[in-house]
């Protein structure tokens, strides 16, 4: 096993007694859950781990958890998300944001393996009191995927796949679709079925593009908001802003739906995530000043519930 080197620059103004996005905080009892990839590389498993460091020793706790992520799971039980050839060069925490610096071999990861290993690391480290977000660096550069910086992550950045038998899991979400007139939004509560760790923001965008039929709602008269041939080029969340880059087909507005209804169908849905407060759009990597009749399309959008019908429906 290669030696994991830590150069710690710790700037912690306060150690908040909260954990990331609903993950259990193990500091009181000294018990944490370490997330690993399953043996097939298709989902996550978790194991309890009793921390040896004192509850106030944030550096020691993080060091222990990173070491467990590197070597903690037995062969035949699962896979360590930090592979043997991968080194953790450094980690730094500042204002509840943990930066982890990996060696260049991180770039050898791709596809589902990369997503699952990243999810396991983030979900494990976000249990530490005082760590609200995690960001990855490769050497001294931010982790880039599809030409975009991944940015800050927390547990809500991923959908879990924690059942080794791949039994379907469900997550309740709130989505917004146009009503039959295309002039108002309808708030729809539904459950999304999933079986792998994927960025939740991307999955929600894909559901919006697929239209209300994709969530099997029994609410009648809903219209799709986003042109069905739209491609999501990338979705990145940084500093609570969700950056959504889409293909040019997005500009081909559906005739029955107003442009601001399209925008807030997406914005209101994505702002339902705990780590998103605003949404910034771009088309093929370029910002547009106008979208349909809506101006200021090049600025971040906040949630707008004024466009939502007074009565909401429930999806089945």
């Amino acid at each position: 096993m290669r030696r994991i080197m830590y150069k710690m620059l710790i700037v912690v103004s306060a150690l908040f007694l909260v954990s990331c996005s609903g993950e259990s905080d193990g500091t009181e009892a000294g018990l944490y859950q370490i997330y690993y990839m399953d043996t097939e590389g298709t989902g996550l498993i978790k194991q309890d781990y009793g921390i040896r460091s004192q509850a106030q020793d944030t550096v020691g706790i993080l060091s222990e958890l990173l070491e467990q992520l590197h070597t903690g799971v037995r062969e035949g039980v699962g896979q360590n998300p930090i592979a043997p050839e991968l080194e953790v060069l450094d980690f730094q925490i500042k204002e509840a944001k943990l930066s982890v610096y990996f060696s260049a071999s991180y770039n050898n990861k791709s596809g589902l393996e990369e997503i699952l290993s990243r999810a396991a690391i983030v979900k494990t480290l976000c249990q530490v009191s005082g760590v609200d977000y995690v960001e990855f660096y490769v050497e001294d550069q931010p982790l880039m995927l599809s030409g975009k910086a991944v940015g800050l992550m927390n547990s809500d950045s991923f959908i879990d796949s924690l059942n080794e038998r791949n039994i379907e899991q469900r997550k309740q979400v709130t989505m917004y679709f146009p009503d039959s007139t295309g002039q108002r939004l309808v708030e729809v509560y539904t459950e999304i079925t999933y079986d792998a760790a994927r960025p939740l923001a991307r999955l929600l965008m894909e559901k919006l593009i697929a239209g209300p039929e994709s969530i099997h709602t029994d609410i009648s008269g809903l219209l799709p908001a986003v042109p069905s041939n739209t491609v999501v080029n990338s979705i990145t969340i940084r500093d609570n802003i969700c950056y959504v880059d889409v293909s040019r087909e997005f500009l081909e507005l559906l005739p029955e739906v107003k442009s601001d209804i399209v925008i807030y169908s997406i914005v209101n849905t994505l702002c339902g995530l705990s780590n998103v407060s605003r949404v910034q759009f771009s088309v093929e990597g370029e910002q547009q000043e106008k979208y349909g009749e809506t101006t200021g399309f090049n600025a971040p959008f906040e949630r707008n519930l004024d466009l939502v019908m007074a009565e909401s429906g429930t999806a089945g």
Side-chain angles (χ1 to χ4, degrees), residues 16 26 36 52-53 78-79 85 89 99 101 110 137 171-173 195 236 240 289 301 305-306 312:
F16 302 105
Y36 302 101
R52 298 186 301 273
S53 300
Q79 304 178 53
E85 68 275 9
L89 304 175
S99 302
Y101 294 78
S110 62
Y137 286 80
K171 185 177 183 70
Q172 189 171 43
V173 296
D195 60 7
T236 304
N240 297 110
E289 197 280 329
F301 287 84
L305 299 181
D306 291 340
S312 62

Side-chain angles (χ1 to χ4, degrees), residues 50-71:
I51 208 77
R52 298 186 301 273
S53 300
Q54 296 296 317
Q56 299 82 5
D57 184 6
T58 305
V59 175
I61 293 172
L62 290 170
S63 298
E64 279 192 54
L65 294 179
L66 286 165
E67 181 64 27
Q68 290 299 309
L69 290 166
H70 193 255
T71 62

Side-chain angles (χ1 to χ4, degrees), residues 181-256:
T181 69
Q183 308 295 305
R184 305 285 291 177
L185 287 170
V186 177
E187 188 177 56
V188 181
Y189 304 101
T190 188
E191 284 187 335
I192 291 180
T193 301
Y194 58 92
D195 60 7
R198 298 179 57 200
L200 183 52
R202 176 176 285 275
L203 182 57
L204 290 176
M205 271 297 299
E206 291 170 353
K207 292 287 186 181
L208 289 173
I209 292 171
E213 295 82 3
S214 68
I215 60 172
H216 309 292
T217 176
D218 58 4
I219 303 174
S220 61
L222 297 179
L223 297 177
V226 185
S228 61
N229 54 352
T230 300
V231 175
V232 180
N233 294 328
S234 66
I235 289 187
T236 304
I237 299 175
R238 296 195 304 272
D239 297 329
N240 297 110
I241 301 176
C242 185
Y243 296 88
V244 179
D245 185 67
V246 292
S247 63
R248 293 203 175 276
E249 288 79 5
F250 182 71
L251 300 176
E252 302 170 1
L253 281 84
L254 302 174
E256 64 270 34

Side-chain angles (χ1 to χ4, degrees), residues 20 55 81 87 89 101 124 150 177 263 273-274 282 298 306 308:
C20 273
E87 292 185 69
L89 304 175
Y101 294 78
T124 298
V150 172
F177 289 97
I263 292 169
L273 300 176
S274 65
S282 60
N298 53 351
D306 291 340
V308 179

Side-chain angles (χ1 to χ4, degrees), residues 116-145:
L116 286 171
S117 63
R118 179 156 45 92
I121 296 168
V122 171
K123 289 171 70 64
T124 298
L125 299 179
C126 269
Q127 295 172 76
V128 178
S129 181
V131 176
D132 288 345
Y133 295 97
V134 180
E135 58 183 348
F136 284 13
Y137 286 80
V138 180
E139 299 292 345
D140 59 350
Q141 297 299 314
L143 173 63
M144 306 289 290
L145 294 176

